[in-house]
Each structure stands twice: as C-alpha cells, then as structure tokens.
Amino acid sequence: MKFGIFYELQLPKPWGPNDELNLYQNALNQVELADKLGYDYAWEVEHHFLDEYSHSPQPEVFLAAASQRTKRIRIGHGIIQLTTNHPARVAEKVACLDLVSNGRVEFGMGESGSVQELAPFDVDMAEKRAIWEEAVKCVIPMMTQEGSQFDGKYFKFPLRNVTPKPIQKPHPPLWVACSQLETIEMAGRRGIGALGFQFLTADMAHAWVHAYYNAFVKRQEKLADYQSNCNIAMVSYFMCAETDEEARHRAEGITFFQFALAFYSGSRSRERAAPGTMSMWDDYNKWKKANPDAQERALRGGLIGSPDTIRSKLRKFETSKVDSIILLNQAGKNKHEHICESLELFAREVMPEFHSHEPEHQAWKQKVLRREIELEEIDTTPYKERAGVGKGVTIDRLVANG
C-alpha cells in the first residue's frame, strides 16, 4: 500500500492580511517534509469561488513550486477540471509540470461538482460528463502526437502541435475523481485510475474495489488511445498523535471540512450566498454548539487516532486491495505544527509496515490483470448509500440545505 497527502487549501474566516501567504507556504513545507519522510504522492485540487472551503484555483503553480522543493514524491493533479479548462491549455500545463518535476506528474481529471464553479465559465451542469469525456478524447493526442486536431460538440481545435510534450511517455498516468461511488466502476471501464473517497466499511471497500478491477479487466472501453492506469486510491481524513484523544483534539478542523463540503455539495444546482455576506466559520461554530454528538462522531471516523488505532484500521482496508491511501489533514484551522508531527509519527510508526507489503500487492495485481486470478463479481447495490456527502462525510445532510 502506498500513501499520499492531499490539499484543498482551506482557509476559514476571518482572514488576516498574510493568511493566504501562510497557508501556501505551510502547505509547501508540509509537502517538502512528506518527501523526506518517504510518502509517495502529493495531491492538489482545482476549485474556483469556494470561499473558505478551497483557495486552490491554479494547482499547477502550487505543484510546480512543490516539485522544486522535493526529489522523489509524485506530484498529483487531483484534479484538473476539464470542464473549465481548454484541452490545449491542460496539455500544456501537464507537460510543463512534468518537465519541471523531472517526470513525476500524476494527471488527475474531473468535471467539477457544482453550479457555483461552473456557471461563471458558462458550463451547463447537465452537460459536464459529456464535456469531460470529449475533453479526454481531445487532450490525449495533444500530449502524444506532433500535430492534432479535433472537431467535437464542445471543443473545436485546428491542426496544431501542442508543445512541450511530457517527459513521461506516452503521457503521465491518468486518474479521474470519483465523488460518486458509481464513478469507481466507470473509472475501471475507462481504464483510468480512480481517485475515490473514504469507504465507510471494509466490506464496502471490498465490493467497490472488485467492481473497479473487474470493469478494468473484463469490460474496458477507453475513451481515446491512452495508456491504461490500474489504480484505486482512497482519500481519508487523517491525524496521527500519541493517543486517540489527542489526535481527535488536533483534528477538529476535519469537522469544518465536512461542514463546508456539505454546504457546497448539497447545493450543486444552485449558487450559494453572495461574497461577503456570510462566514462559514461562524455558521460552523453555531452548528457545532448545537450538535455536539455529531461533532464527536465525525472525529471518530477516518484515520484519526494513535498509531495503533490507525494501524488497525489500515489492516482492514488493506485486505480490500486498495492501492493507496491519500491522507487529508490540512483542514479548517488545524495547526501546521500538528500536521507536521502527524506526518512524522505516521511515517515512523505505521507506514513502514504497509510499504513493506507493496511487492506482494503488485504481484497480486499482475495476476489479476493477466486473469490468473478471477475476482468475484460482487453486487454493489447494498453499498451505494453513503452517510453524508463525499470524502467519508458524517455531518448531517441538513447542513447542506441551510
């Protein structure tokens, strides 16, 4: 099993004059530390206009800076929005980042999730999947061919050579965001790595991992001529400390993350409050005061706890054959020093055990891909419901309707 770290770059109000500067510099310091500690991936999202939840509209800038502070950690777009970026600009960004990072890019692609982000770019929510699929067909030849052209419904591109080309051939590994469980099967069918979110149980993980691998092996239908990437990653809330109690105390920002995610995800088809008219941080604190039990439950989920607690949870998920775990602990007002201490403790006490099992996992995967091992076709119907919205959220859905 491999491990990554994940950034939305959250910044709750009130905002001071240097808060965004400190946010970016602290996150870059954390990625530099993770590289030295042996983490495998650093992932960064792309979001627009999501006050407090995510201040990350240009992930390639952050990732390029991170690449110059690191030596081996993989640099992951998790994800680039193909609905709000022209394919030619995407191909250029990915190739340039691959060059400056010396071939360490992971190319994650997604659609964006709400009218809050899509409307200013004149993108119709109802068409975002179709736009994404056409963009994939358009962008791949740009990275692999000296000249390419495209004549589609959403993109029309005359014959041009998009330069530069990425150093990884034929292109960096492809991933797709899986905010809905059903998208995991779609990722396998398309031959693309699945950037999924935390499963509620090991049984749920087992069922969906089987659905992904069976779709990848038996029912693969690529959108274009690209190199397949068989990988399934799970994002999980994370804070490691000497005791469970201390970890939960240090991870309080996780519940703000869940609250903010519910706020935006629960209103996908309508815009939220006008800028400057609300403070999500204030609303969150009102919710927290009124819902102490929900706050407590939220902090008992994910990979939040002592090394022993986290190790026990990971052993259960390891049996499901998830390829990697992406750890999210830059959230809310979690402190920079606690995030660094968490990364260090996990890397020292937990990560080596699961890294040591990676050769065994890769051998299993190759047997599945060669169909020497046939995985059971598991009915995923009982595992289509998830409490909350995305990323393992346990916050009440009523938050989203406020």
Side-chain angles (χ1 to χ4, degrees):
M1 186 180 290
K2 295 182 178 181
F3 296 93
I5 54 175
F6 182 79
Y7 289 90
E8 302 261 7
L9 294 179
Q10 293 217 315
L11 191 63
K13 289 183 176 178
W15 297 327
N18 292 320
D19 283 354
E20 286 185 320
L21 172 64
N22 293 332
L23 171 69
Y24 269 72
Q25 293 302 321
N26 285 342
L28 287 170
N29 288 334
Q30 292 158 22
V31 174
E32 185 175 359
L33 174 64
D35 179 60
K36 294 176 181 176
L37 293 172
Y39 287 83
D40 302 285
Y41 301 99
W43 296 93
E44 170 74 354
V45 302
E46 177 186 347
H47 278 308
H48 303 276
F49 325 121
L50 305 186
D51 280 1
E52 302 183 71
Y53 174 70
S54 176
H55 290 225
S56 178
Q58 296 291 335
E60 67 275 5
V61 176
F62 176 88
L63 293 170
S67 76
Q68 300 308 291
R69 295 186 178 209
T70 58
K71 297 184 182 300
R72 54 163 300 280
I73 197 167
R74 301 286 296 177
I75 304 297
H77 271 289
I79 47 75
I80 295 179
Q81 294 179 2
L82 297 191
T83 47
T84 61
N85 291 279
H86 190 280
R89 299 291 289 129
V90 172
E92 293 167 344
K93 292 176 184 182
V94 171
C96 289
L97 181 58
D98 204 40
L99 292 168
V100 300
S101 68
N102 198 22
R104 288 187 279 143
V105 171
E106 302 284 324
F107 180 17
M109 307 172 289
E111 304 170 7
S112 177
S114 69
V115 69
Q116 181 80 10
E117 295 190 78
L118 293 175
F121 296 102
D122 197 27
V123 176
D124 187 337
M125 273 282 290
E127 295 185 282
K128 66 189 185 77
R129 173 57 59 85
I131 296 171
W132 177 83
E133 290 186 349
E134 187 171 292
V136 174
K137 297 174 184 178
C138 187
V139 74
I140 296 300
M142 293 175 172
M143 293 191 291
T144 60
Q145 299 176 14
E146 185 171 343
S148 66
Q149 57 187 340
F150 193 84
D151 185 15
K153 178 179 179 181
Y154 305 102
F155 301 106
K156 298 185 185 298
F157 188 72
L159 181 62
R160 295 291 187 276
N161 184 23
V162 179
T163 59
K165 303 299 186 196
I167 191 172
Q168 296 181 85
K169 303 301 180 189
H171 50 73
L174 304 181
W175 299 77
V176 61
C178 298
S179 57
Q180 304 298 318
L181 287 167
E182 292 82 357
T183 316
I184 295 172
E185 186 277 336
M186 183 276 290
R189 185 162 34 88
R190 296 308 189 192
I192 300 174
L195 285 171
F197 301 120
Q198 182 180 318
F199 301 108
L200 296 181
T201 67
D203 286 343
M204 176 183 277
H206 182 75
W208 281 107
V209 170
H210 272 54
Y212 173 84
Y213 272 95
N214 279 327
F216 190 100
V217 172
K218 302 175 184 178
R219 296 178 284 276
Q220 191 171 136
E221 298 176 358
K222 293 182 181 180
L223 289 168
D225 184 18
Y226 49 74
Q227 183 170 290
S228 298
N229 177 35
C230 185
N231 267 291
I232 183 166
M234 181 183 85
V235 176
S236 177
Y237 300 120
F238 171 68
M239 184 65 77
C240 186
E242 294 293 346
T243 66
D244 291 350
E245 182 180 11
E246 181 64 17
R248 288 193 289 269
H249 173 71
R250 293 183 172 193
E252 187 177 352
I254 295 300
T255 52
F256 173 80
F257 188 105
Q258 296 176 343
F259 183 93
L261 179 62
F263 177 85
Y264 283 116
S265 295
S267 59
R268 296 180 188 276
S269 298
R270 63 185 174 93
E271 294 190 16
R272 298 309 261 165
T277 62
M278 66 163 290
S279 165
M280 197 180 305
W281 180 252
D282 289 344
D283 288 350
Y284 161 69
N285 279 291
K286 293 175 184 176
W287 172 88
K288 184 173 67 171
K289 185 176 180 179
N291 297 274
D293 291 342
Q295 159 84 358
E296 176 66 21
R297 287 196 305 272
L299 291 174
R300 292 184 180 278
L303 297 173
I304 299 172
S306 67
D308 285 343
T309 294
I310 293 176
R311 186 182 299 110
S312 177
K313 291 183 177 183
L314 282 175
R315 284 173 178 166
K316 293 178 182 178
F317 282 110
E318 188 177 40
T319 63
S320 71
K321 303 298 185 181
V322 169
D323 291 285
S324 63
I325 306 292
I326 304 173
L327 306 169
L328 188 161
N329 67 346
Q330 190 283 310
K333 295 191 176 183
N334 286 355
K335 294 182 179 180
H336 170 63
E337 57 267 30
H338 291 165
I339 293 171
C340 292
E341 290 172 9
S342 177
L343 292 172
E344 290 171 340
L345 183 60
F346 179 85
R348 184 174 65 250
E349 300 292 336
V350 182
M351 194 162 66
E353 173 186 332
F354 297 93
H355 266 172
S356 70
H357 300 164
E358 183 62 13
E360 180 182 346
H361 173 69
Q362 291 299 324
W364 171 87
K365 178 189 286 191
Q366 290 307 310
K367 289 181 179 179
V368 173
L369 295 179
R370 293 193 300 265
R371 301 194 68 172
E372 295 173 14
I373 295 176
E374 291 282 343
L375 298 182
E376 178 187 0
E377 294 277 3
I378 299 175
D379 180 10
T380 56
T381 304
Y383 304 104
K384 288 187 176 179
E385 292 298 320
R386 185 203 304 277
V389 284
K391 298 187 180 71
V393 168
T394 55
I395 297 296
D396 194 319
R397 284 184 185 273
L398 291 176
V399 170
N401 299 323

